[in-house]
Amino acid sequence: MSENSIISLQNVNKWFGDFQVLKDVNLEVKKKERIVVCGPSGSGKSTMIRCINRLEEHQEGKIVVDGIELTGNLKNIDSVRKEVGMVFQQFNLFPHLSVKENITLAPIWVKKMPKAEAEELAMKQLEIVKIPEQANKYPGQLSGGQQQRVAIARSLAMNPNIMLFDEPTSALDPEMIKEVLDVMVDLAEGGMTMIVVTHEMGFAKTVADRMVFMDEGKIVEEASPDKFFNDPESDRTKLFLSQILHQ
Amino acid sequence: MENNSNFETRKPPVATTGILGWCRQHLFSNWVNSFITLLVIYFLYQLIPWFLDWSVFSADFWTNYKGELIVDRTFCSRVADPEGDHGACWAIIIVRFYQFMYGFYPSEQVWRVNLTYFLLVVALLPLLIEKIPGRKHLIKFTIAFPIVAFVLLYGGFGFQIIPTNKWGGLLVTLVLGVFGIAIAFPLGILLALGRRSQLPVISMFCTLFIEFIRGVPLITLLFFGMVMLPLFLPEGLNLDGLVRVLVAVTLFQAAYMAEVIRGGLQAIPRGQYEAAQSVGLSYWQMNRKIILPQAIRISIPSIVNTSIGLFKDTTLVIIIGLLDLLGIGRGALADATWMGLSNEVYVFVALVFFIFTFSMSRYSLYLEKKLKTGINMGAD
């Protein structure tokens, strides 16, 4: 593990039953680095980032996040989850709570923040994602793009050092993708450490410091966006790029 | 195009709106429906006037058709004058009303029961009405209510002790129903969570418990509580009969409640758990703030359904000798002074049960309507 890595995956292996989803995955992420992970479906990219906040358990290898190793130790898992925010493909907002309550819940219960302070924080986060006027609505009353922005605000309210995005725009209607990506670009420019699983190659080109291409549970190629898009090394990457760029 | 602005919005055809339209659409839409409608109207025409006449207009209340005060069955109009057209003789209920309500609770102490009923309503308020002022403080009282109720009803702390074999009628029915449901609810939640636990010991224990209790008739559990529970208890500890029955009823209800709530839990998408975990909520915080509120909302109709079922099943305690509302009624019928008035007694008992169960059912409808907005907001 290099000195300044904030996330480090070393020889990580994981199986679902007999099926091996992650094969000897090694990844080092430095502080403030923006990584975009892409690859065909079933390549293990979602599973990999879900291992980073222990929504999935890895069976072999070592994962260290901000100096904390992820093991069965529940205390470690709790501290890692406080460091790492996550945004899901399906938003996963809490439908029985208002937008504001979705955001204040964790600060109040996990960080024991006073309610007034948490609400102020929520409004600040909603302004960052540009929908302060929706604070008192319920998730079901919002569009997909707005819901995903609330989900981002909900994660940011815990003041994480690292944000994980698991295909954040895949469930959105085309005209809503941009509003979510804009928020993510702002976040990246603010210096957040980000790992983003996405097929939005335009976003990848503007934001990514490094591209990671996965196939069949392995990291096939890791390169700067410039090299990745213009001069990829492996044939598998070339094939993948030709398929997604020439639809 | 210019004409467009001159178009007035036309009204819908008269025959499809208003009362007439409603009747056409819902009662007489085709000849089968028309026939059924007429048939039902005919039966209602036959039934309602007859029942009103029997229960109100031709019925005796305090006095019979000659104007005499009714003191036993022979004074009832329908017994004294079998040829005449007389209805129910409610005097049996009126004379024994105290027993129906309180059993053999000493009358100089009965204010304690009435006070408990009043406090029960106060304790229910914060649960039933979400936006009541001072809800936080009222909830504290609701949690303390079982202890307050126990002291008031049973005695101690300066109150005269009234042994539970003096309790009876509606009091016993409500004690079993209200406490059975109220204690079984949290117990059922814990059992449901336990059955889904990833720790095999906990999940196996909960599953075994639920399956055992559900697999046994309530009567068996009542006998078990009455006859066998004392054998398991340490020597010298003699649990009160009513408490033993209450334990059996509560365990029975908890097992059913657990399965109902487990059904609700299964309807919550995995993403909700993952989102809750990823913002750092602990297991109990996640369940309390995210999972259970949604799961219980989904299960409200079934929760109320099993609760109504239990409330009626409390009448089974008659078999082990407790005198609940129905038990007092049967006692009254066994008494030579009032023999033969079973119609009145059973109609009365049924009516009292109906008032309680129907209120529960209405309240659940109100809750469903109120929460509907929240439920449909799950998916995008």
Side-chain angles (χ1 to χ4, degrees), chain A residues 46 70 97 99 123 191 194 196 222 237 239:
Chain A
S46 286
L70 280 170
L97 301 177
V99 165
M123 290 314 294
M194 290 163 76
V196 184
E222 249 185 279
T237 315
L239 178 68

Side-chain angles (χ1 to χ4, degrees), chain A residues 210-247:
Chain A
R210 191 157 29 122
M211 297 294 299
V212 171
F213 176 69
M214 289 184 77
D215 188 33
E216 293 179 343
K218 280 183 284 219
I219 292 183
V220 177
E221 186 152 357
E222 249 185 279
S224 70
D226 190 36
K227 179 160 184 347
F228 183 80
F229 288 108
N230 299 321
D231 182 24
E233 272 172 22
S234 93
D235 293 337
R236 186 65 193 88
T237 315
K238 285 175 195 160
L239 178 68
F240 176 76
L241 286 174
S242 72
Q243 279 167 341
I244 63 163
L245 295 176
H246 302 288
Q247 300 163 349

Side-chain angles (χ1 to χ4, degrees), chain B residues 208-225 228 248-249 251-253 255-256 310 313 316:
Chain B
L208 272 176
F209 178 87
I210 291 168
E211 293 299 339
F212 173 74
I213 302 273
R214 273 205 315 170
V216 174
L218 179 55
I219 296 195
T220 316
L221 280 181
L222 291 177
F223 278 125
F224 179 85
M228 288 181 64
V249 163
L251 294 184
F252 181 79
Q253 177 68 0
Y256 275 87
L310 177 84
D313 280 351
L316 288 173

